């Protein structure tokens, strides 16, 4: 729990919200670990974030379940993520570090999603999403 909280210190408010929302969506569906589809749905709910803007501009839609609030205090267990989402989070942190960004934002999470999940590959504007992300990160 402490390690997870420490890791989250480097995440922006939007990125933290997206991670907790992904877990909340999974929890509401009675799934123990958040999956890549839950993270995508959460990013599409995080209005005002870079990932939200990129996804909306490119017409990406999903059926995100209504975001439920997960209390973020010490009494609650940390969110659980499946192996794919853990890899997405690691990729997001490493790409932020690679580009010299001090915080991990939703754009980094979206980049990790693009690199470690096939969810967006079917989108007509997949190549455009990837190039927009690369441009923003540079």
């Amino acid at each position: 729990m402490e390690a997870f909280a420490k890791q989250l210190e480097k995440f922006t408010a939007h990125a933290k919200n997206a991670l907790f929302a992904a877990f909340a969506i999974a929890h509401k569906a009675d799934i123990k670990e958040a999956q890549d589809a839950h993270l995508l749905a959460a990013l599409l709910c995080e209005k005002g974030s870079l990932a939200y803007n990129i996804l909306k501009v490119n017409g990406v839609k999903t059926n995100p379940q209504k975001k439920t609030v997960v209390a973020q205090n010490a009494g609650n267990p940390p969110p659980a993520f499946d192996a794919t989402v853990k890899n997405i989070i690691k990729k997001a942190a490493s790409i932020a570090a690679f580009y010299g960004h001090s915080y991990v934002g939703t754009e980094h999470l979206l980049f990790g999603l693009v690199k470690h999940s096939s969810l967006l590959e079917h989108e007509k504007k997949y190549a455009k999403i990837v190039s927009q992300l690369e441009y923003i990160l540079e």
Side-chain angles (χ1 to χ4, degrees):
M1 168 92 154
E2 210 171 287
F4 182 74
K6 185 110 175 121
Q7 188 179 20
L8 279 183
E9 288 176 7
K10 297 232 176 219
F11 284 69
T12 65
H14 281 301
K16 287 178 198 174
N17 289 344
L19 290 173
F20 280 100
F23 179 71
I25 291 167
H27 183 72
K28 187 175 182 180
D30 204 24
I31 298 170
K32 291 187 190 312
E33 295 180 326
Q35 301 164 357
D36 54 356
H38 302 122
L39 181 58
L40 177 60
L43 289 171
L44 280 163
C45 290
E46 196 56 36
K47 291 182 179 173
S49 71
L50 279 171
Y52 172 86
N53 293 336
I54 291 169
L55 293 168
K56 282 298 178 190
V57 162
N58 288 292
V60 176
K61 293 181 179 126
T62 187
N63 291 326
Q65 297 175 8
K66 196 171 183 181
K67 201 163 45 166
T68 55
V69 178
V70 174
Q72 300 176 30
N73 64 33
N76 289 335
F81 302 106
D82 72 2
T84 301
V85 176
K86 287 177 184 173
N87 286 334
I88 290 167
I89 293 168
K90 285 178 191 170
K91 182 67 173 182
S94 68
I95 203 72
F98 177 80
Y99 284 107
H101 301 163
S102 22
Y103 287 94
V104 179
T106 57
E107 66 278 17
H108 302 108
L109 288 172
L110 182 57
F111 188 83
L113 192 68
V114 164
K115 294 297 180 185
H116 288 285
S117 170
S118 60
L119 276 180
L120 293 170
E121 287 177 1
H122 70 280
E123 291 291 329
K124 281 192 272 184
K125 296 184 179 179
Y126 176 76
K128 188 174 179 187
I129 292 168
V130 172
S131 67
Q132 286 174 339
L133 275 169
E134 289 170 346
Y135 177 77
I136 286 170
L137 294 173
E138 287 176 15

